[in-house]
Coordinates of all heavy atoms in Angstrom, one line a residue:
M1 N 28.3 33.1 -110.7 CA 27.8 32.0 -109.8 C 29.0 31.7 -108.8 O 30.1 31.5 -109.2 CB 27.4 30.8 -110.5 CG 27.1 29.6 -109.7 SD 26.6 28.1 -110.5 CE 25.0 28.7 -111.4
K2 N 28.7 31.6 -107.5 CA 29.7 31.3 -106.5 C 29.9 29.8 -106.4 O 29.0 29.0 -106.8 CB 29.2 31.8 -105.2 CG 29.1 33.4 -105.2 CD 28.9 33.9 -103.8 CE 28.7 35.4 -103.9 NZ 29.5 36.1 -102.9
I3 N 31.0 29.4 -105.9 CA 31.4 28.0 -105.8 C 30.4 27.2 -104.8 O 30.0 26.2 -105.1 CB 32.8 27.9 -105.3 CG1 33.8 28.3 -106.5 CG2 33.2 26.4 -105.0 CD1 35.3 28.4 -106.1
R4 N 30.0 27.9 -103.8 CA 29.1 27.3 -102.8 C 27.8 26.9 -103.5 O 27.2 25.9 -103.3 CB 28.9 28.3 -101.6 CG 28.1 27.6 -100.6 CD 27.9 28.5 -99.4 NE 27.0 29.6 -99.7 CZ 27.1 30.9 -99.4 NH1 28.2 31.3 -98.9 NH2 26.3 31.8 -99.8
L5 N 27.2 27.8 -104.4 CA 26.0 27.6 -105.1 C 26.2 26.5 -106.2 O 25.3 25.6 -106.3 CB 25.4 28.9 -105.8 CG 24.2 28.7 -106.6 CD1 23.1 28.3 -105.7 CD2 23.8 30.0 -107.2
A6 N 27.4 26.5 -106.8 CA 27.6 25.5 -107.8 C 27.7 24.0 -107.1 O 27.1 23.0 -107.7 CB 28.9 25.7 -108.5
E7 N 28.2 23.9 -106.0 CA 28.3 22.7 -105.2 C 26.9 22.3 -104.8 O 26.6 21.1 -104.9 CB 29.3 22.8 -104.0 CG 30.7 22.9 -104.4 CD 31.6 23.3 -103.2 OE1 31.0 23.6 -102.1 OE2 32.8 23.1 -103.4
K8 N 26.1 23.2 -104.4 CA 24.8 22.9 -104.0 C 23.9 22.4 -105.2 O 23.2 21.4 -105.1 CB 24.0 24.1 -103.5 CG 22.6 23.9 -102.9 CD 22.0 25.2 -102.5 CE 20.5 25.0 -102.1 NZ 19.9 26.2 -101.8
I9 N 24.1 23.0 -106.4 CA 23.4 22.5 -107.6 C 23.8 21.1 -107.9 O 22.9 20.4 -108.3 CB 23.7 23.5 -108.8 CG1 23.0 24.9 -108.5 CG2 23.2 22.9 -110.1 CD1 23.4 26.0 -109.5
L10 N 25.1 20.8 -107.9 CA 25.5 19.5 -108.2 C 25.1 18.5 -107.2 O 24.7 17.3 -107.5 CB 27.0 19.4 -108.4 CG 27.6 20.2 -109.7 CD1 29.0 20.0 -109.7 CD2 27.0 19.6 -110.9
Y11 N 25.0 18.8 -105.9 CA 24.5 18.0 -104.9 C 23.0 17.6 -105.2 O 22.6 16.4 -105.1 CB 24.7 18.6 -103.5 CG 24.1 17.8 -102.4 CD1 24.6 16.6 -101.9 CD2 22.9 18.3 -101.8 CE1 24.0 15.9 -101.0 CE2 22.3 17.5 -100.8 CZ 22.9 16.3 -100.4 OH 22.3 15.6 -99.4
V12 N 22.2 18.6 -105.4 CA 20.8 18.5 -105.7 C 20.6 17.6 -106.9 O 19.7 16.7 -107.0 CB 20.0 19.7 -105.7 CG1 18.6 19.6 -106.1 CG2 20.1 20.4 -104.3
T13 N 21.3 17.8 -107.9 CA 21.3 17.1 -109.2 C 21.6 15.6 -108.9 O 21.0 14.7 -109.4 CB 22.2 17.7 -110.2 OG1 21.8 19.1 -110.4 CG2 22.1 17.0 -111.6
S14 N 22.7 15.3 -108.1 CA 23.0 14.0 -107.9 C 21.9 13.2 -107.0 O 21.7 12.0 -107.2 CB 24.3 13.9 -107.1 OG 24.1 14.3 -105.7
I15 N 21.2 13.9 -106.2 CA 20.1 13.3 -105.4 C 19.0 13.0 -106.4 O 18.4 11.9 -106.3 CB 19.6 14.3 -104.3 CG1 20.7 14.3 -103.2 CG2 18.2 13.8 -103.8 CD1 20.2 15.3 -102.1
F16 N 18.7 13.9 -107.3 CA 17.7 13.7 -108.2 C 18.0 12.5 -109.2 O 17.2 11.7 -109.5 CB 17.4 15.0 -109.1 CG 16.4 14.8 -110.1 CD1 15.0 14.9 -109.8 CD2 16.7 14.7 -111.5 CE1 14.0 14.8 -110.7 CE2 15.8 14.6 -112.5 CZ 14.4 14.7 -112.0
G17 N 19.3 12.5 -109.6 CA 19.8 11.4 -110.5 C 19.8 10.1 -109.9 O 19.7 9.0 -110.5
N18 N 19.9 10.0 -108.5 CA 19.9 8.7 -107.8 C 18.5 8.3 -107.4 O 18.3 7.3 -106.7 CB 20.8 8.8 -106.5 CG 22.2 8.9 -106.9 OD1 22.7 8.5 -107.9 ND2 23.0 9.5 -106.0
W19 N 17.5 9.0 -107.9 CA 16.0 8.7 -107.7 C 15.7 8.8 -106.1 O 14.7 8.2 -105.7 CB 15.7 7.2 -108.2 CG 16.0 7.1 -109.6 CD1 17.0 6.3 -110.1 CD2 15.4 7.7 -110.7 NE1 17.1 6.3 -111.4 CE2 16.1 7.1 -111.8 CE3 14.4 8.5 -110.9 CZ2 15.7 7.5 -113.1 CZ3 14.0 8.9 -112.2 CH2 14.7 8.4 -113.3
D20 N 16.4 9.6 -105.4 CA 16.1 9.9 -104.0 C 15.1 11.0 -104.0 O 14.4 11.1 -102.8 CB 17.3 10.2 -103.2 CG 18.3 9.1 -103.2 OD1 17.9 7.9 -103.2 OD2 19.5 9.4 -103.0
S21 N 14.9 11.7 -105.0 CA 13.9 12.8 -105.1 C 13.3 13.0 -106.5 O 14.0 12.6 -107.4 CB 14.6 14.1 -104.6 OG 13.8 15.2 -104.8
N22 N 12.1 13.4 -106.5 CA 11.5 13.6 -107.8 C 11.4 15.2 -108.1 O 10.7 15.5 -109.0 CB 10.1 13.0 -108.0 CG 9.1 13.5 -107.0 OD1 9.5 14.4 -106.1 ND2 7.9 13.1 -107.1
Y23 N 12.1 16.0 -107.4 CA 12.1 17.4 -107.5 C 13.5 18.0 -108.0 O 14.5 17.7 -107.3 CB 11.6 18.1 -106.2 CG 11.6 19.6 -106.3 CD1 10.9 20.2 -107.3 CD2 12.5 20.4 -105.5 CE1 10.8 21.6 -107.4 CE2 12.4 21.7 -105.5 CZ 11.7 22.3 -106.5 OH 11.7 23.7 -106.7
Q24 N 13.5 18.5 -109.1 CA 14.8 19.1 -109.6 C 14.5 20.5 -109.8 O 13.9 21.0 -110.8 CB 15.0 18.4 -111.0 CG 16.1 19.1 -111.8 CD 17.5 19.1 -111.1 OE1 17.7 20.0 -110.3 NE2 18.3 18.1 -111.3
P25 N 15.0 21.4 -108.9 CA 14.8 22.8 -109.0 C 15.7 23.6 -109.9 O 15.4 24.7 -110.2 CB 15.1 23.2 -107.5 CG 16.1 22.3 -107.0 CD 15.7 20.9 -107.7
Y26 N 16.7 23.0 -110.4 CA 17.7 23.7 -111.3 C 17.5 23.4 -112.7 O 17.3 22.2 -113.1 CB 19.1 23.5 -110.8 CG 19.3 23.9 -109.4 CD1 19.4 22.9 -108.4 CD2 19.4 25.2 -109.1 CE1 19.6 23.3 -107.1 CE2 19.6 25.7 -107.8 CZ 19.7 24.7 -106.8 OH 19.8 25.1 -105.5
S27 N 17.6 24.4 -113.6 CA 17.5 24.2 -115.0 C 18.7 23.6 -115.7 O 19.8 23.6 -115.0 CB 17.1 25.5 -115.7 OG 18.2 26.4 -115.5
V28 N 18.6 23.1 -116.9 CA 19.8 22.6 -117.6 C 21.0 23.6 -117.6 O 22.1 23.3 -117.3 CB 19.4 22.1 -118.9 CG1 20.6 21.7 -119.7 CG2 18.5 20.9 -118.7
P29 N 20.7 24.8 -118.1 CA 21.8 25.9 -118.1 C 22.5 26.1 -116.7 O 23.7 26.3 -116.7 CB 21.1 27.2 -118.7 CG 19.9 26.7 -119.4 CD 19.5 25.5 -118.7
Q30 N 21.6 26.1 -115.7 CA 22.3 26.3 -114.4 C 23.2 25.1 -114.0 O 24.3 25.4 -113.5 CB 21.2 26.4 -113.3 CG 20.4 27.7 -113.3 CD 19.3 27.7 -112.3 OE1 18.5 26.7 -112.2 NE2 19.2 28.7 -111.5
Q31 N 22.9 24.0 -114.4 CA 23.6 22.7 -114.1 C 24.9 22.8 -114.9 O 26.0 22.5 -114.4 CB 22.9 21.5 -114.3 CG 21.7 21.3 -113.5 CD 20.9 20.1 -113.9 OE1 21.4 19.0 -114.0 NE2 19.6 20.3 -114.1
Q32 N 24.8 23.3 -116.2 CA 26.0 23.4 -117.0 C 27.0 24.4 -116.5 O 28.2 24.2 -116.5 CB 25.6 23.7 -118.5 CG 24.8 22.6 -119.1 CD 24.1 23.0 -120.4 OE1 23.9 24.2 -120.6 NE2 23.8 22.0 -121.2
K33 N 26.4 25.6 -116.0 CA 27.2 26.6 -115.6 C 27.9 26.2 -114.2 O 29.1 26.6 -114.0 CB 26.4 27.9 -115.3 CG 27.2 29.1 -115.0 CD 26.4 30.3 -114.9 CE 27.3 31.5 -114.6 NZ 26.5 32.8 -114.5
A34 N 27.3 25.4 -113.4 CA 27.9 24.9 -112.2 C 29.1 24.1 -112.5 O 30.1 24.1 -111.8 CB 26.8 24.1 -111.4
L35 N 28.9 23.2 -113.5 CA 30.1 22.4 -113.9 C 31.3 23.3 -114.2 O 32.5 22.9 -114.0 CB 29.7 21.4 -115.0 CG 28.8 20.2 -114.6 CD1 28.4 19.5 -115.8 CD2 29.6 19.3 -113.6
K36 N 31.0 24.4 -115.1 CA 32.0 25.2 -115.5 C 32.7 25.9 -114.4 O 33.9 26.1 -114.3 CB 31.5 26.2 -116.6 CG 32.4 27.1 -117.2 CD 31.8 28.0 -118.2 CE 32.8 28.9 -118.8 NZ 32.1 29.8 -119.8
V37 N 31.9 26.4 -113.4 CA 32.4 27.2 -112.3 C 33.3 26.4 -111.4 O 34.3 26.8 -111.0 CB 31.2 27.8 -111.4 CG1 31.7 28.3 -110.2 CG2 30.6 28.9 -112.2
L38 N 33.0 25.1 -111.3 CA 33.8 24.2 -110.4 C 35.0 23.7 -111.0 O 35.9 23.0 -110.5 CB 32.9 23.0 -109.9 CG 31.9 23.3 -109.0 CD1 31.0 22.1 -108.6 CD2 32.5 24.0 -107.7
K39 N 35.3 24.1 -112.3 CA 36.5 23.8 -113.0 C 36.7 22.3 -113.1 O 37.8 21.8 -112.8 CB 37.6 24.5 -112.4 CG 37.5 26.0 -112.6 CD 38.7 26.8 -112.1 CE 38.4 28.3 -112.3 NZ 38.8 29.1 -111.2
V40 N 35.6 21.6 -113.4 CA 35.7 20.2 -113.6 C 36.6 19.9 -114.9 O 36.3 20.6 -116.0 CB 34.3 19.5 -113.7 CG1 34.4 18.0 -114.0 CG2 33.6 19.8 -112.5
P41 N 37.5 19.0 -114.9 CA 38.3 18.7 -116.1 C 37.4 18.3 -117.3 O 36.3 17.8 -117.2 CB 39.1 17.5 -115.8 CG 39.2 17.6 -114.2 CD 37.9 18.1 -113.8
M42 N 37.9 18.7 -118.5 CA 37.0 18.6 -119.7 C 36.6 17.1 -119.9 O 35.4 16.9 -120.4 CB 37.7 19.2 -121.0 CG 37.6 20.6 -121.1 SD 35.9 21.3 -121.0 CE 35.3 20.9 -122.7
N43 N 37.4 16.2 -119.8 CA 37.0 14.8 -120.1 C 36.0 14.3 -119.1 O 35.0 13.6 -119.5 CB 38.3 13.8 -120.0 CG 38.9 13.8 -118.8 OD1 38.7 14.7 -117.8 ND2 39.9 13.0 -118.5
I44 N 36.0 14.7 -117.9 CA 34.9 14.4 -117.0 C 33.6 15.2 -117.2 O 32.5 14.7 -117.1 CB 35.4 14.6 -115.5 CG1 36.5 13.7 -115.2 CG2 34.3 14.3 -114.5 CD1 37.2 13.9 -113.8
R45 N 33.9 16.5 -117.6 CA 32.7 17.4 -117.8 C 31.9 16.9 -119.0 O 30.6 17.0 -119.0 CB 33.2 18.8 -118.1 CG 32.1 19.8 -118.1 CD 32.5 21.2 -118.4 NE 33.7 21.7 -117.6 CZ 34.4 22.8 -117.9 NH1 34.0 23.6 -118.8 NH2 35.4 23.1 -117.1
K46 N 32.6 16.3 -120.0 CA 31.7 15.9 -121.2 C 30.8 14.8 -120.8 O 29.7 14.7 -121.2 CB 32.7 15.4 -122.3 CG 33.4 16.6 -123.1 CD 34.3 16.0 -124.1 CE 35.0 17.2 -124.8 NZ 35.9 16.7 -125.8
S47 N 31.3 13.8 -120.0 CA 30.5 12.7 -119.6 C 29.4 13.2 -118.7 O 28.2 12.7 -118.7 CB 31.2 11.5 -119.0 OG 31.9 12.0 -117.8
M48 N 29.7 14.1 -117.8 CA 28.7 14.6 -116.8 C 27.6 15.4 -117.6 O 26.4 15.4 -117.2 CB 29.3 15.5 -115.8 CG 30.2 14.7 -114.8 SD 30.9 15.8 -113.5 CE 29.4 16.1 -112.5
L49 N 28.0 16.1 -118.7 CA 27.0 16.9 -119.5 C 26.0 15.9 -120.2 O 24.9 16.2 -120.4 CB 27.6 17.8 -120.3 CG 28.3 19.2 -119.8 CD1 29.1 19.9 -120.8 CD2 27.2 20.0 -119.2
E50 N 26.6 14.8 -120.6 CA 25.9 13.8 -121.4 C 24.9 13.0 -120.5 O 23.8 12.8 -120.9 CB 26.8 12.9 -122.1 CG 26.1 12.0 -123.1 CD 27.0 11.2 -124.0 OE1 28.3 11.5 -124.0 OE2 26.6 10.2 -124.6
Y51 N 25.4 12.6 -119.3 CA 24.6 11.7 -118.5 C 24.2 12.3 -117.2 O 23.2 11.7 -116.5 CB 25.5 10.4 -118.2 CG 25.9 9.7 -119.4 CD1 27.2 9.6 -119.7 CD2 25.0 8.9 -120.2 CE1 27.7 8.9 -120.9 CE2 25.4 8.3 -121.3 CZ 26.7 8.3 -121.7 OH 27.0 7.6 -122.8
G52 N 24.7 13.4 -116.7 CA 24.4 13.9 -115.4 C 23.6 15.1 -115.3 O 23.4 15.7 -114.3
V53 N 23.1 15.7 -116.5 CA 22.4 16.9 -116.5 C 20.9 16.5 -116.8 O 20.6 15.8 -117.7 CB 22.9 17.9 -117.6 CG1 21.9 19.1 -117.7 CG2 24.2 18.4 -117.3
Y54 N 20.1 16.9 -115.9 CA 18.7 16.5 -115.9 C 17.8 17.7 -116.1 O 18.0 18.7 -115.5 CB 18.2 15.8 -114.6 CG 19.0 14.5 -114.4 CD1 20.1 14.6 -113.5 CD2 18.7 13.4 -115.0 CE1 20.9 13.5 -113.3 CE2 19.5 12.2 -114.8 CZ 20.6 12.3 -113.9 OH 21.3 11.2 -113.7
G55 N 16.7 17.5 -116.8 CA 15.6 18.5 -117.0 C 14.6 18.5 -115.8 O 14.6 17.6 -115.1
K56 N 13.9 19.5 -115.7 CA 12.9 19.6 -114.6 C 11.7 18.8 -114.9 O 11.4 18.6 -116.1 CB 12.5 21.1 -114.4 CG 13.6 22.1 -113.8 CD 12.9 23.4 -113.7 CE 13.9 24.3 -113.0 NZ 13.3 25.6 -112.7
I57 N 11.0 18.3 -113.9 CA 9.8 17.6 -114.0 C 8.7 18.6 -113.7 O 8.8 19.4 -112.7 CB 9.7 16.5 -113.0 CG1 10.7 15.4 -113.3 CG2 8.2 15.9 -113.0 CD1 10.7 14.2 -112.4
P58 N 7.7 18.7 -114.6 CA 6.6 19.7 -114.3 C 6.0 19.4 -113.0 O 5.8 18.3 -112.5 CB 5.6 19.4 -115.5 CG 6.4 18.7 -116.5 CD 7.5 18.0 -115.8
T59 N 5.5 20.5 -112.4 CA 4.9 20.5 -111.0 C 3.8 19.5 -110.9 O 3.6 18.8 -109.9 CB 4.5 21.9 -110.5 OG1 3.6 22.5 -111.4 CG2 5.8 22.7 -110.3
E60 N 3.0 19.4 -111.9 CA 1.7 18.5 -111.8 C 2.0 17.1 -111.8 O 1.2 16.3 -111.4 CB 0.7 18.9 -112.9 CG 1.2 18.7 -114.3 CD 1.8 20.0 -114.9 OE1 2.2 20.9 -114.2 OE2 1.8 19.9 -116.2
Y61 N 3.2 16.7 -112.2 CA 3.6 15.4 -112.3 C 4.7 15.0 -111.1 O 5.2 13.8 -111.2 CB 4.2 15.0 -113.7 CG 3.1 15.2 -114.7 CD1 3.3 16.2 -115.7 CD2 1.9 14.6 -114.7 CE1 2.4 16.3 -116.7 CE2 1.0 14.8 -115.7 CZ 1.3 15.7 -116.6 OH 0.3 15.9 -117.7
R62 N 5.0 15.8 -110.3 CA 6.0 15.4 -109.2 C 5.5 14.4 -108.2 O 6.3 13.9 -107.5 CB 6.4 16.7 -108.5 CG 7.3 17.5 -109.4 CD 7.9 18.7 -108.8 NE 8.6 19.5 -109.7 CZ 8.7 20.9 -109.7 NH1 8.3 21.5 -108.6 NH2 9.4 21.5 -110.7
G63 N 4.2 14.2 -108.1 CA 3.7 13.2 -107.2 C 3.8 11.8 -107.6 O 3.8 10.8 -106.9
Y64 N 4.1 11.6 -109.0 CA 4.3 10.3 -109.5 C 5.8 9.8 -109.2 O 6.7 10.6 -109.2 CB 4.1 10.2 -111.0 CG 2.6 10.6 -111.3 CD1 2.2 11.8 -111.7 CD2 1.6 9.6 -111.2 CE1 0.9 12.1 -112.0 CE2 0.3 9.9 -111.4 CZ 0.0 11.1 -111.9 OH -1.4 11.5 -112.1
S65 N 6.0 8.5 -109.2 CA 7.3 8.0 -108.9 C 8.1 8.1 -110.2 O 7.8 7.6 -111.3 CB 7.2 6.5 -108.6 OG 8.5 5.9 -108.6
P66 N 9.2 8.8 -110.1 CA 10.1 9.1 -111.3 C 10.7 7.7 -111.9 O 10.8 7.7 -113.1 CB 11.2 10.0 -110.9 CG 11.3 9.8 -109.3 CD 9.8 9.4 -109.0
I67 N 10.9 6.7 -111.0 CA 11.4 5.5 -111.6 C 10.3 4.8 -112.4 O 10.6 4.3 -113.6 CB 11.8 4.5 -110.4 CG1 13.0 5.1 -109.7 CG2 12.1 3.1 -110.9 CD1 13.4 4.5 -108.4
Q68 N 9.1 4.7 -111.9 CA 8.0 4.1 -112.7 C 7.7 4.8 -114.0 O 7.4 4.3 -115.0 CB 6.8 4.0 -111.8 CG 6.9 3.0 -110.6 CD 5.8 3.0 -109.8 OE1 4.9 3.7 -109.9 NE2 5.7 1.9 -108.9
V69 N 7.7 6.1 -113.9 CA 7.5 6.9 -115.1 C 8.5 6.7 -116.1 O 8.2 6.6 -117.3 CB 7.4 8.5 -114.8 CG1 7.4 9.4 -115.9 CG2 6.2 8.8 -113.8
S70 N 9.8 6.7 -115.8 CA 10.9 6.6 -116.8 C 10.8 5.1 -117.3 O 11.1 4.9 -118.5 CB 12.3 6.8 -116.1 OG 12.5 5.8 -115.1
Q71 N 10.4 4.1 -116.5 CA 10.3 2.8 -117.0 C 9.2 2.7 -118.0 O 9.3 2.0 -119.1 CB 10.1 1.7 -115.8 CG 11.4 1.5 -115.1 CD 11.0 0.7 -113.8 OE1 9.9 0.5 -113.5 NE2 12.2 0.2 -113.2
A72 N 8.1 3.3 -117.7 CA 7.0 3.3 -118.6 C 7.2 4.1 -119.9 O 6.9 3.6 -121.1 CB 5.7 4.0 -118.0
M73 N 8.0 5.1 -119.8 CA 8.4 5.9 -121.0 C 9.4 5.0 -121.9 O 9.2 5.1 -123.1 CB 9.0 7.2 -120.7 CG 8.1 8.3 -120.3 SD 8.8 9.8 -120.0 CE 7.4 10.8 -119.5
L74 N 10.3 4.3 -121.3 CA 11.2 3.4 -122.0 C 10.4 2.3 -122.7 O 10.7 1.9 -123.9 CB 12.2 2.8 -121.1 CG 13.4 3.9 -120.7 CD1 14.3 3.1 -119.7 CD2 14.2 4.2 -121.9
K75 N 9.4 1.7 -122.0 CA 8.6 0.7 -122.5 C 7.9 1.1 -123.8 O 7.8 0.3 -124.8 CB 7.7 0.2 -121.5 CG 6.8 -0.9 -121.9 CD 5.8 -1.3 -120.8 CE 4.8 -2.4 -121.2 NZ 3.8 -2.6 -120.2
H76 N 7.3 2.3 -123.7 CA 6.6 2.8 -124.9 C 7.5 3.7 -125.9 O 6.9 4.4 -126.7 CB 5.4 3.7 -124.4 CG 4.4 2.9 -123.6 ND1 3.6 2.0 -124.2 CD2 4.2 2.8 -122.3 CE1 2.8 1.5 -123.3 NE2 3.2 2.0 -122.1
K77 N 8.8 3.6 -125.7 CA 9.8 4.3 -126.6 C 9.5 5.8 -126.7 O 9.5 6.4 -127.7 CB 9.7 3.6 -127.9 CG 10.2 2.2 -128.0 CD 10.2 1.6 -129.3 CE 10.8 0.2 -129.4 NZ 10.4 -0.8 -128.5
M78 N 9.4 6.3 -125.5 CA 9.1 7.8 -125.4 C 10.5 8.4 -124.9 O 11.1 7.9 -123.9 CB 8.0 8.2 -124.5 CG 6.8 7.7 -124.9 SD 5.5 8.2 -123.6 CE 4.0 7.5 -124.4
N79 N 10.9 9.6 -125.5 CA 12.1 10.2 -125.0 C 11.9 11.8 -125.1 O 12.3 12.4 -126.0 CB 13.4 9.8 -125.9 CG 14.6 10.4 -125.3 OD1 14.7 10.7 -124.2 ND2 15.6 10.4 -126.2
P80 N 11.2 12.3 -124.1 CA 10.9 13.7 -124.1 C 12.1 14.6 -124.0 O 13.0 14.3 -123.2 CB 10.0 14.0 -122.9 CG 10.3 12.9 -122.0 CD 10.6 11.7 -122.9
G81 N 12.2 15.6 -124.8 CA 13.4 16.4 -124.8 C 13.2 17.7 -124.0 O 14.2 18.4 -123.7
N82 N 12.0 18.1 -123.8 CA 11.7 19.3 -123.0 C 10.4 19.2 -122.3 O 9.8 18.1 -122.3 CB 11.6 20.5 -124.0 CG 10.6 20.4 -125.1 OD1 9.5 19.7 -124.9 ND2 10.8 21.0 -126.3
I83 N 10.0 20.2 -121.5 CA 8.8 20.1 -120.7 C 7.6 19.9 -121.5 O 6.7 19.0 -121.0 CB 8.7 21.3 -119.8 CG1 9.9 21.5 -119.0 CG2 7.5 21.4 -119.0 CD1 9.8 21.5 -117.5
K84 N 7.4 20.5 -122.6 CA 6.1 20.4 -123.4 C 6.0 18.9 -123.9 O 5.0 18.3 -123.8 CB 6.2 21.3 -124.6 CG 5.0 21.3 -125.5 CD 5.2 22.4 -126.5 CE 4.0 22.4 -127.5 NZ 4.1 23.4 -128.5
E85 N 7.2 18.2 -124.4 CA 7.1 16.9 -124.7 C 6.9 15.9 -123.6 O 6.2 14.9 -123.7 CB 8.4 16.5 -125.4 CG 8.6 17.1 -126.8 CD 10.0 16.7 -127.4 OE1 10.6 15.8 -126.9 OE2 10.3 17.3 -128.4
Y86 N 7.4 16.3 -122.4 CA 7.2 15.5 -121.2 C 5.7 15.5 -120.8 O 5.2 14.4 -120.5 CB 8.1 16.1 -120.0 CG 8.0 15.2 -118.8 CD1 9.1 14.3 -118.7 CD2 7.1 15.3 -117.8 CE1 9.1 13.5 -117.5 CE2 7.1 14.5 -116.7 CZ 8.1 13.6 -116.6 OH 8.2 12.8 -115.5
R87 N 5.1 16.7 -120.9 CA 3.6 16.7 -120.6 C 2.9 15.9 -121.5 O 1.9 15.2 -121.1 CB 3.1 18.1 -120.6 CG 3.6 18.9 -119.4 CD 2.8 20.3 -119.3 NE 3.1 21.0 -118.1 CZ 3.9 22.1 -118.0 NH1 4.4 22.6 -119.0 NH2 4.2 22.6 -116.8
R88 N 3.2 15.9 -122.9 CA 2.5 15.2 -123.9 C 2.6 13.6 -123.6 O 1.6 12.9 -123.6 CB 3.0 15.5 -125.3 CG 2.2 14.8 -126.4 CD 2.7 15.1 -127.8 NE 4.2 15.2 -127.9 CZ 4.9 14.0 -128.1 NH1 4.3 12.9 -128.2 NH2 6.2 14.1 -128.2
C89 N 3.8 13.3 -123.3 CA 4.1 11.8 -123.0 C 3.3 11.4 -121.8 O 2.8 10.3 -121.7 CB 5.6 11.5 -122.8 SG 6.6 11.8 -124.3
M90 N 3.3 12.2 -120.7 CA 2.6 11.8 -119.5 C 1.1 11.7 -119.7 O 0.4 10.9 -119.2 CB 2.9 12.9 -118.3 CG 4.2 12.8 -117.7 SD 4.4 11.2 -116.9 CE 3.3 11.3 -115.5
R91 N 0.6 12.6 -120.5 CA -0.9 12.5 -120.8 C -1.2 11.3 -121.6 O -2.2 10.6 -121.3 CB -1.3 13.7 -121.7 CG -1.6 14.9 -120.9 CD -2.4 16.0 -121.7 NE -1.6 16.5 -122.9 CZ -0.8 17.6 -122.8 NH1 -0.7 18.3 -121.7 NH2 -0.1 17.9 -123.9
Q92 N -0.3 10.8 -122.5 CA -0.4 9.6 -123.2 C -0.4 8.4 -122.4 O -1.1 7.5 -122.3 CB 0.6 9.5 -124.3 CG 0.4 10.4 -125.5 CD 1.5 10.2 -126.5 OE1 2.5 9.5 -126.3 NE2 1.3 10.9 -127.6
L93 N 0.6 8.4 -121.4 CA 0.7 7.3 -120.4 C -0.5 7.2 -119.5 O -1.0 6.2 -119.1 CB 2.0 7.5 -119.6 CG 3.3 7.2 -120.3 CD1 4.5 7.6 -119.4 CD2 3.4 5.8 -120.7
L94 N -1.0 8.4 -119.1 CA -2.1 8.4 -118.1 C -3.5 8.0 -118.8 O -4.4 7.5 -118.2 CB -2.3 9.7 -117.5 CG -1.1 10.1 -116.4 CD1 -1.3 11.5 -115.9 CD2 -1.1 9.1 -115.3
D95 N -3.5 8.2 -120.1 CA -4.8 7.8 -120.7 C -4.8 6.3 -121.1 O -5.8 5.7 -121.4 CB -4.8 8.5 -122.1 CG -5.2 10.0 -122.0 OD1 -5.7 10.3 -120.9 OD2 -4.9 10.8 -122.9
K96 N -3.7 5.7 -121.0 CA -3.6 4.2 -121.3 C -4.1 3.4 -120.2 O -4.1 3.6 -119.1 CB -2.2 3.8 -121.7 CG -1.7 4.4 -123.0 CD -0.4 3.9 -123.4 CE 0.1 4.6 -124.7 NZ 1.2 4.1 -125.3

C-alpha cells in the first residue's frame, strides 16, 4: 500500500467518524494496514485501532442517518460486531 492511499483511507475514515458521511468504503483490515504503512507510533496506533477503525454500513441502510441509528442501537443495547449482526439489528429497529 502506498502512503498516498493510506492517507486517503485515514481521511475518509475521519470524515465517517465525524458523522459527515454515512459511507465507509474501506474495510477494517484496510484501515489497520493504512495505520501500519504511515508508521504511526504504537501508543497512538493502539488508541486509533480501538476507537478510530470503523466497519462498513450495508448499502441498503446508507440512506438512514448514522447518528440516529447509533443512538437507537445504544438505547436498545445493541452492539453489532459485523455486517450480519448490523442487518439483524436494523431489522429489529425498523420493526419497532
Side-chain angles (χ1 to χ4, degrees):
M1 176 180 293
K2 296 189 182 226
I3 292 176
R4 187 177 73 227
L5 179 59
E7 289 173 347
K8 180 181 175 187
I9 289 171
L10 290 183
Y11 173 74
V12 171
T13 302
S14 69
I15 289 176
F16 180 79
N18 291 332
W19 306 107
D20 296 333
S21 171
N22 63 352
Y23 177 59
Q24 171 57 274
Y26 299 105
S27 65
V28 171
Q30 285 175 313
Q31 295 173 56
Q32 292 169 340
K33 189 172 181 181
L35 286 173
K36 185 178 179 184
V37 166
L38 290 177
K39 297 180 178 139
V40 177
M42 277 309 281
N43 55 353
I44 297 171
R45 192 183 311 173
K46 285 181 185 178
S47 62
M48 288 182 78
L49 287 172
E50 188 173 346
Y51 301 111
V53 174
Y54 300 97
K56 290 184 176 186
I57 293 178
T59 55
E60 62 267 22
Y61 299 118
R62 289 186 186 150
Y64 297 100
S65 169
I67 296 172
Q68 292 177 349
V69 169
S70 65
Q71 288 173 347
M73 284 186 180
L74 284 174
K75 180 181 172 187
H76 296 289
K77 295 180 176 49
M78 297 177 178
N79 189 18
N82 56 31
I83 299 238
K84 186 176 180 180
E85 290 177 10
Y86 189 92
R87 284 191 173 109
R88 184 179 47 80
C89 292
M90 284 298 290
R91 280 193 297 263
Q92 289 176 354
L93 287 175
L94 292 173
D95 288 341
K96 292 182 180 184

